[in-house]
Amino acid sequence: MDKYVAGLMFNSDRTKVALIRKTRPDWQKGFLNGIGGKIDGEEHSFDAMTREFEEETGYKTYWYDWWPLVTLKDINNQWVVEFYCSAKDILSELKTMTDEKIEIIDVANIDNEKVLSNIPWLIKMCFDNRLIHGEIKCKS
């Protein structure tokens, strides 16, 4: 099973979010997604989240900067993606470190952006203080 993490980094008043303009895989090319990547071997997902965020943005975060939002699992056990949220006033410090560009997006305009279809509802879930952590099973 392939395991991934993706993070949504907001400013502290949650009016802006940092996303990444994907160049791969092909089905994500040109779309904005959460910042993240593949979990290495037995790496813990919190460790993968902080490593991937630093690799892609140049900014070091720590496990306690992130809170688990939702886990998406393929019903055929081919993949799992653990989504995280964070809110820190560091968005202006983020840099594009790979061929995939970091973009700061106004949350109020997210529906006008070219984002993966789950990003708008994941952002809304980050604002729901009743949600602790959820798991959603998906068809491939």
Side-chain angles (χ1 to χ4, degrees), residues 111-126:
D111 292 330
N112 298 324
E113 298 289 339
K114 187 176 178 184
V115 296
L116 289 177
S117 61
N118 61 358
I119 294 300
W121 59 262
L122 286 167
I123 287 173
K124 289 175 185 160
M125 289 175 73
C126 287

Side-chain angles (χ1 to χ4, degrees), residues 52-67:
E52 286 286 344
F53 192 82
E54 185 173 12
E55 287 176 3
E56 297 191 9
T57 70
Y59 189 90
K60 183 168 182 59
T61 60
Y62 299 92
W63 67 269
Y64 50 80
D65 292 322
W66 298 96
W67 65 90

Side-chain angles (χ1 to χ4, degrees), residues 93-112:
E93 298 178 44
L94 304 182
K95 299 176 178 122
T96 297
M97 304 298 287
T98 70
D99 62 328
E100 297 182 312
K101 185 180 178 206
I102 301 300
E103 297 184 27
I104 309 305
I105 305 298
D106 287 328
V107 170
N109 295 327
I110 197 69
D111 292 330
N112 298 324

